[in-house]
Amino acid sequence: MTAAEAAHRATDAVWRIESARLIAGLARIVRDVGVAEELAQDALVAALEQWPESGVPRNPGAWLMATAKHRAIDLLRRRERLERRLQELGHEVAAQQEAVEPDLEAALGEDIGDDLLRLVFIACHPVLSTEARVALTLRLLGGLRTEEIARAFLVPESTVAQRIVRAKRTLAEARVPFEVPARAELATRLSSVLEVIYLVFNEGYSATAGEDWMRPSLCEEALRLGRILAELVPKEPEVHGLVALMEIQASRSGARTGPSGEPVLLLDQDRTRWDHVLIRRGLAALQRAEALGGVLGPYALQAAIAACHARARTPEETGWARIAALYDALAELAPSPVVELNRAVALAMAFGPATGLELVDQLTSEPSLKEYHLLWSVRGDLLAKLGRHDEAREEFERAASLTRNGRLRTLNLERAAASARLSAPPLSRAVTKAR
């Protein structure tokens, strides 16, 4: 690999890690997320031009922010000069308005604080459709490419691209302020914010594409946003439910990959490697959600399911009947094909693979799951447990062809190969073993 190629690869990696902070910090100053992203992209272009020659700086995130900051200052000064010229032409200006240049360097140098949270609320503003809110936030905060967002929602890439463009235009035209909404408005915008935060977490927990099984930086950002939100609205049980769910799921991160970065499935994980500090934090957040009273919402129910796994010292101690009952409640409260698929797994573990397979077979005709690799890997797993290894191999191969994550593809192909060995005639297996 040449030095230029290495610099370009490093630049791409830095962008994926730093872009959310960069855009959020800039948006606080220029008050326009579209302009903020353009400034951030300008800084990225500068890095692509300069780093192959000068080398990647020690703190590439700070370099990008400094470069974008100077462009932001130039932009705001140009705007101010234009404003002054308009004043000279006789445009009315409030008498008390002072024509003093703001201390832009100081403002941009502030700790970004809740900037990422403000950016989430802007991306989830009611002037946007639900789909646009989710897509824009994943783009701005998650640093995801349009194709990755499309993959996550099983929609065409062109559709997601149009949503993002229209969303930026709508926000600019509506002059949406870069701020956390007032409490009177907060409740109406909370559910989509929770959805977005969890989607960012999920992209970090199980990466849609690429060769990495997880992207921990996204999980950390989502957890940070969730914790801040829990402090902002401490009497909202679903906020605590979401935090509980993310804390408990994040506790497994260290056990979810093997020595070479390969995925390790839940029941195969070394539970001594689970982070018990995060588990305790998650259980405490779930307790806060339950203490607030009322019917548990979707996130709190999922957190209760995660808690069943967290409390089990071994896979055999898992309360699968309890988990199946919780999935029943979740399916009634927030029905979806993915919830049904997860319920099928719980039923299979509680009452046998044939019970789970019956439900999974009903889901194979669901259009939104046709290209969903987990449907076919789950079906393959249940078929394997029933001794139907030829069919299991086909499903694992189908799952491998549908996933764009290299680690998952390898895992499914390995499971397909194992099923093929088990489906071979006894003599063939004996010959293979002798070799």
Side-chain angles (χ1 to χ4, degrees):
M1 182 188 300
T2 66
E5 290 172 339
H8 277 265
R9 179 171 293 186
T11 304
D12 183 61
V14 169
W15 174 256
R16 297 300 291 264
I17 295 170
E18 300 290 346
S19 61
R21 293 185 180 90
L22 191 60
I23 294 168
L26 293 166
R28 171 166 48 86
I29 302 303
V30 299
R31 306 287 167 170
D32 185 315
V33 293
V35 173
E37 188 180 18
E38 289 174 8
L39 291 167
Q41 290 282 356
D42 287 345
L44 176 64
V45 171
L48 290 170
E49 292 173 347
Q50 297 180 36
W51 290 1
E53 294 290 332
S54 63
V56 178
R58 287 187 178 180
N59 190 335
W63 189 99
L64 287 170
M65 177 56 85
T67 302
K69 176 176 66 175
H70 293 142
R71 284 165 167 74
I73 290 172
D74 290 342
L75 173 65
L76 293 177
R77 284 173 176 163
R78 286 197 301 273
R79 287 180 178 175
E80 185 178 332
R81 284 196 295 270
L82 176 59
E83 218 174 282
R84 287 176 177 173
R85 287 174 185 169
L86 291 174
Q87 290 177 28
E88 292 169 3
L89 291 172
H91 284 258
E92 278 191 4
V93 180
Q96 68 271 24
Q97 183 177 3
E98 296 181 6
V100 178
E101 183 175 281
D103 190 353
L104 299 174
E105 291 281 356
L108 278 160
E110 293 174 357
D111 180 9
I112 65 169
D114 294 342
D115 283 349
L116 289 173
L117 183 62
R118 295 187 184 105
L119 191 57
V120 169
F121 274 113
I122 285 183
C124 295
H125 198 279
V127 297
L128 304 176
S129 68
T130 300
E131 293 83 0
R133 297 174 205 176
V134 172
L136 184 62
T137 304
L138 286 175
R139 172 66 177 264
L140 296 180
L141 280 100
L144 305 186
R145 296 188 300 273
T146 303
E147 64 186 65
E148 291 175 310
I149 300 171
R151 178 72 177 176
F153 293 99
L154 306 175
V155 295
E157 185 177 341
S158 59
T159 300
V160 174
Q162 290 168 5
R163 286 174 184 168
I164 292 172
V165 170
R166 284 197 298 264
K168 291 178 184 177
R169 186 185 305 126
T170 300
L171 289 172
E173 291 173 352
R175 298 182 180 274
V176 173
F178 188 70
E179 61 189 17
V180 174
R183 289 195 175 274
E185 189 186 359
L186 195 61
T188 61
R189 294 170 59 180
L190 192 56
S191 61
S192 66
V193 171
L194 294 176
E195 180 184 15
V196 164
I197 292 174
Y198 192 44
L199 285 166
V200 172
F201 179 87
N202 269 339
E203 182 58 35
Y205 194 67
S206 298
T208 305
E211 295 303 316
D212 292 323
W213 172 225
M214 295 187 297
R215 292 166 58 191
S217 61
L218 282 180
C219 293
E220 291 165 7
E221 290 298 339
L223 271 169
R224 175 184 176 275
L225 290 171
R227 290 164 183 164
I228 291 173
L229 194 60
E231 293 178 3
L232 180 66
V233 283
K235 295 184 179 181
E236 292 289 340
E238 268 293 78
V239 175
H240 296 296
L242 174 61
V243 172
L245 176 58
M246 293 191 298
E247 299 276 17
I248 295 172
Q249 287 186 323
S251 73
R252 306 173 197 152
S253 296
R256 293 185 74 237
T257 54
S260 302
E262 70 276 10
V264 180
L265 301 180
L266 177 62
L267 298 183
D268 298 324
Q269 290 171 16
D270 178 358
R271 299 190 177 206
T272 64
R273 298 182 62 196
W274 286 3
D275 188 328
H276 291 279
V277 172
L278 289 179
I279 289 175
R280 286 194 294 273
R281 292 179 68 161
L283 294 177
L286 178 59
Q287 188 175 24
R288 285 192 289 273
E290 293 171 339
L292 288 168
V295 177
L296 292 183
Y299 293 109
L301 283 172
Q302 291 177 77
I305 291 168
C308 291
H309 293 294
R311 293 184 176 114
R313 291 172 298 177
T314 65
E316 292 73 26
E317 293 180 18
T318 307
W320 285 106
R322 164 71 173 160
I323 291 174
L326 287 168
Y327 269 119
D328 286 342
L330 182 60
E332 184 174 345
L333 184 65
S336 79
V338 173
V339 169
E340 287 298 308
L341 180 61
N342 287 320
R343 189 166 76 92
V345 173
L347 289 170
M349 296 300 296
F351 306 112
T355 302
L357 184 61
E358 183 178 352
L359 179 54
V360 169
D361 284 345
Q362 296 173 21
L363 295 172
T364 57
S365 60
E366 170 59 44
S368 65
L369 294 182
K370 284 288 187 181
E371 304 298 315
Y372 189 47
H373 66 93
L374 288 178
L375 171 66
W376 308 108
S377 62
V378 166
R379 190 167 191 273
D381 183 63
L382 296 176
L383 288 167
K385 288 177 178 177
L386 291 169
R388 296 161 60 179
H389 299 294
D390 275 333
E391 296 170 83
R393 174 187 55 77
E394 292 177 1
E395 300 298 47
F396 286 133
E397 288 175 349
R398 184 186 305 197
S401 71
L402 290 173
T403 182
R404 296 178 64 187
N405 184 284
R407 298 289 186 178
L408 281 179
R409 186 181 304 111
T410 299
L411 175 65
N412 280 301
L413 290 175
E414 288 173 351
R415 299 181 81 185
S419 294
R421 288 193 296 271
L422 290 170
S423 67
L427 180 60
S428 297
R429 288 206 300 271
V431 171
T432 301
K433 186 175 181 180
R435 290 177 180 172

